[in-house]
Amino acid sequence: MNDSPLIDISDVTHAYKTEAGPLPVLRDLTIRAAEGTFTAVVGPSGCGKSTLTRLVAGLMIPDEGEVRLHGELVKSPRKTVGMAFQNPVLLEWRTIMDNVLLPLEIVGTKLNRAEQRDRAMELLTLVGLDGFEDKRPSELSGGMRQRASLCRSIVHRPEVLILDEPFGALDNFTREDLWQTMHDLRKAETFTCVLITHDLRESLFLGDQVVVLSGRPATVQYVMDVTLGPDRVLDDLYTPESAENLHILRDQIKIAQGRDVA
Amino acid sequence: MTAIRKAGIPLLAILIFALFWEWLVWFNAWPNYKMASPSDLGPAFWKFRWLFLEYGWDTLWRTVVGLLLAILVGIGIGVIMGFSRTMREALYPLLVGFNAIPKATVVPVIALLFVGQHDFNTVLMAFMISFFPIAVSVSIGLSTLEPEYRDILRALGASRWQIFTKIALPKTLPEFFGALKVSVTLAFIGTNLMEIVEPHGRGLGHLFDSGKISADYPLMFAVLIALAVLGIALYYIVVMLEQTFAGWAERAET
Ligand SMILES: Nc1ncnc2c1ncn2[C@@H]1O[C@H](COP(=O)(O)OP(=O)(O)OP(=O)(O)O)[C@@H](O)[C@H]1O
Ligand SMILES: [Mg+2]
């Protein structure tokens, strides 16, 4: 890890223009993430988390402040970013394989057709979807679709991976399986990840740092450095230390929501 | 077995329908100038076989050309309305108003406007009556594209054209074919309205009109059957295209 952060969001302020006037969503927000790290962002509903991801992806430009990736100012979308959402948005008219290959058709690649398929197959195998590459999305369960969506988001080896509540719609068991899958992907691939989530346990289990955003307009209210190592197991969430951390995070969310801490 | 079933059941239904029709005419003792029976149709077809071929071809190509125009213009308008909110708000009332005008009232206007241009008039009518569903379905398909679908490509720096061809267009195909099935039938109505009204207009509609003038009921019914056959043929061609290009949508629902 070098000292200049890979993701550098500094003093970003942003408002949506609505019919009722400007709606301030982000205020003086600063987040830094070193290369290869995993940043989990939590915050009250509607506080501006998805807006933040759109700024990092270059889909929008902030009113004030700047977003830099690798020191370069983000002014438009770039090919070195991968995204996945709560809705897996797989294309029903394509097979799982062709869905995963989609980014390569857009960003261009030196790989030939067979190498592209090998690359996709490597990821599908990693997430446990080998044997399903020729199926249609509708033939897969929700968790499997989300796995396919994850493969698609990293098939082009992005530097930055943006995940906006990708596990939010899944049941608890499936979600915990996918956390494990996320760790497997992290070991096999190199990316710097920003994960938006509503689930505090998820933020602790996956994040190297957990950023708590305040209510809208969102700013960074609290940052927790997670001390769990790279080889995490679910039981790590049930240690006294984790319980204590979860407690702190829960209190921070209450503050962000404007509720009193008991 | 399934092939026999697939062809056999509809054929059996047609046979039962024809028998019932024959029986109805016989039971009521309707004379030929009141109602034709299926057994009258054969002779009528045979007597006018060359006219049926010639006029059937006229009706068919006019309908198909009108439909192709409707597809082109309908997609064009649909794309414009689907991508631009301003254009959608501007064009929608115009389109709805235009579609609300009963097309039978437009027929004489066009017939007088381009006197003697039978082919042109008929194609125009087929086009005018059938482009609306296509335009609306394409515009709705495009404008209701979830933003996330756009974002997964936009985040990679995809061009608008790439987003259109890789996502918007294929995603809209099922709606487009649904509308096309409606438009096929409408285009036939347009063609025939014009052919019936125009003197010397040729086409099956014209044959129907001559049957009416000479009170030849078997001929009139034979024309109706011929129109039904053409309509079914075109409809199933569209269904086949739909299964080829948008068959995934059917699978997705089960
Ligand atoms: N395109 C837009 N135009 C106007 N307002 C918007 C737009 N997108 C989002 N907003 C508003 O901005 C605020 C923040 O939205 P955002 O989607 O970033 O929140 P979020 O933290 O991701 O919410 P959630 O937890 O529900 O996913 C919300 O109040 C939302 O209504
Ligand atoms: Mg959100």
Side-chain angles (χ1 to χ4, degrees):
Chain A
M1 291 181 200
N2 54 36
D3 11 329
S4 94
L6 189 108
I7 303 176
D8 185 353
I9 305 166
S10 34
D11 293 321
V12 161
T13 295
H14 194 76
Y16 283 112
K17 288 163 201 67
T18 66
E19 279 166 17
L23 175 76
V25 176
L26 303 176
R27 178 172 43 96
D28 295 331
L29 186 136
T30 298
I31 296 177
R32 302 217 155 81
E35 188 167 353
T37 58
F38 206 114
T39 302
V41 178
V42 296
S45 186
C47 73
K49 301 183 295 296
S50 296
T51 306
L52 178 65
T53 64
R54 295 174 60 79
L55 291 173
V56 177
L59 293 168
M60 293 186 329
I61 310 289
D63 293 342
E64 286 167 43
E66 51 186 41
V67 177
R68 286 178 185 274
L69 300 183
H70 254 330
E72 274 176 59
L73 196 62
V74 174
K75 290 189 233 132
S76 59
R78 38 186 62 212
K79 301 181 184 315
T80 55
V81 168
M83 277 187 116
F85 310 95
Q86 174 163 353
N87 176 352
V89 285
L90 297 174
L91 312 183
E92 190 51 47
W93 54 94
R94 288 171 171 244
T95 61
I96 294 301
M97 170 58 82
D98 287 338
N99 264 288
V100 174
L101 289 174
L102 180 71
L104 296 178
E105 296 168 24
I106 304 296
V107 303
T109 168
K110 290 195 200 79
L111 305 179
N112 65 33
R113 192 73 196 152
E115 288 165 335
Q116 289 181 28
R117 287 185 67 91
D118 288 347
R119 164 72 181 152
M121 221 35 242
E122 169 193 9
L123 291 175
L124 285 171
T125 310
L126 204 61
V127 302
L129 279 184
D130 41 331
F132 291 90
E133 59 272 17
D134 293 326
K135 294 261 190 282
R136 300 273 164 174
S138 57
E139 297 175 273
L140 267 57
S141 70
M144 290 160 102
R145 280 183 224 176
Q146 204 49 265
R147 287 171 198 273
S149 168
L150 282 176
C151 291
R152 181 180 59 193
S153 67
I154 57 173
V155 69
H156 55 299
R157 302 185 193 278
E159 281 179 338
V160 175
L161 177 61
I162 302 169
L163 305 176
D164 192 348
E165 299 189 37
F167 316 126
L170 304 174
D171 65 86
N172 265 326
F173 300 123
T174 313
R175 192 179 309 164
E176 286 171 3
D177 277 348
L178 269 146
W179 293 350
Q180 203 53 59
T181 303
M182 223 35 246
H183 276 304
D184 296 343
L185 284 175
R186 251 190 101 175
K187 271 181 210 141
E189 305 276 318
T190 50
F191 48 74
T192 309
C193 183
V194 177
L195 167 81
I196 309 292
T197 175
H198 270 137
D199 185 332
L200 297 179
R201 293 194 312 140
E202 179 172 305
S203 70
L204 265 192
F205 190 61
L206 292 178
D208 296 316
Q209 60 171 343
V210 179
V211 176
V212 181
L213 297 185
S214 68
R216 195 178 69 227
T219 190
V220 174
Q221 175 181 307
Y222 183 80
V223 180
M224 174 180 285
D225 286 312
V226 181
T227 47
L228 299 173
D231 292 304
R232 302 182 189 182
V233 289
L234 273 175
D235 283 341
D236 292 341
L237 285 177
Y238 300 95
T239 61
E241 194 198 349
S242 290
E244 174 62 22
N245 283 339
L246 277 173
H247 189 75
I248 295 172
L249 288 175
R250 208 167 292 128
D251 282 348
Q252 286 296 332
I253 290 287
K254 279 187 192 152
I255 295 170
Q257 288 172 327
R259 290 197 273 152
D260 287 337
V261 180
Chain B
M1 179 60 202
T2 47
I4 299 171
R5 267 187 74 120
K6 249 182 141 175
I9 288 179
L11 280 179
L12 193 68
I14 291 172
L15 189 71
I16 291 173
F17 174 75
L19 283 175
F20 175 71
W21 179 5
E22 188 78 46
W23 172 81
L24 203 66
V25 174
W26 171 82
F27 183 78
N28 290 304
W30 278 325
N32 238 351
Y33 52 82
K34 195 164 182 184
M35 177 83 180
S37 61
S39 55
D40 298 329
L41 299 181
F45 272 122
W46 184 250
K47 189 164 152 208
F48 296 102
R49 58 190 181 279
W50 300 118
L51 275 183
F52 265 107
L53 280 182
E54 202 184 322
Y55 285 0
W57 169 243
D58 280 334
T59 298
L60 183 64
W61 79 253
R62 286 163 170 175
T63 306
V64 170
V65 172
L67 200 59
L68 289 178
L69 268 180
I71 292 174
L72 271 179
V73 175
I75 291 181
I77 295 179
V79 168
I80 291 170
M81 291 193 358
F83 280 136
S84 154
R85 223 179 119 182
T86 320
M87 291 306 280
R88 184 156 64 246
E89 281 160 7
L91 289 178
Y92 211 77
L94 275 178
L95 271 186
V96 172
F98 181 80
N99 191 52
I101 299 172
K103 291 302 169 297
T105 60
V106 181
V107 172
V109 177
I110 292 180
L112 284 179
L113 203 56
F114 308 105
V115 175
Q117 311 260 348
H118 304 308
D119 288 341
F120 179 78
N121 286 349
T122 316
V123 167
L124 185 65
M125 196 64 220
F127 155 71
M128 286 200 336
I129 203 171
S130 62
F131 83 95
F132 182 78
I134 299 177
V136 170
S137 73
V138 171
S139 80
I140 290 178
L142 292 181
S143 62
T144 55
L145 188 72
E146 294 93 324
E148 284 154 335
Y149 278 90
R150 208 164 302 160
D151 283 351
I152 47 167
L153 286 202
R154 272 228 302 148
L156 295 167
S159 64
R160 292 197 81 163
W161 176 248
Q162 281 176 318
I163 293 173
F164 179 68
T165 54
K166 292 212 184 281
I167 297 212
L169 193 70
K171 202 159 169 26
T172 306
L173 276 183
E175 274 122 19
F176 166 76
F177 276 109
L180 191 55
K181 282 191 266 186
V182 176
S183 290
V184 168
T185 323
L186 288 179
F188 258 110
I189 295 174
T191 314
N192 280 285
L193 276 176
M194 190 53 90
E195 287 173 350
I196 290 173
V197 166
E198 281 204 310
H200 320 296
R202 299 164 48 95
L204 289 178
H206 182 65
L207 196 57
F208 182 82
D209 202 46
S210 4
K212 197 178 85 191
I213 288 167
S214 53
D216 189 341
Y217 274 68
L219 173 59
M220 289 166 71
F221 274 91
V223 170
L224 294 187
I225 298 295
L227 282 172
V229 169
L230 283 187
I232 291 173
L234 269 194
Y235 186 88
Y236 277 100
I237 289 175
V238 173
V239 169
M240 267 160 56
L241 290 175
E242 180 183 28
Q243 269 160 8
T244 317
F245 292 108
W248 54 266
E250 216 167 280
R251 250 166 310 178
E253 273 158 29
T254 50

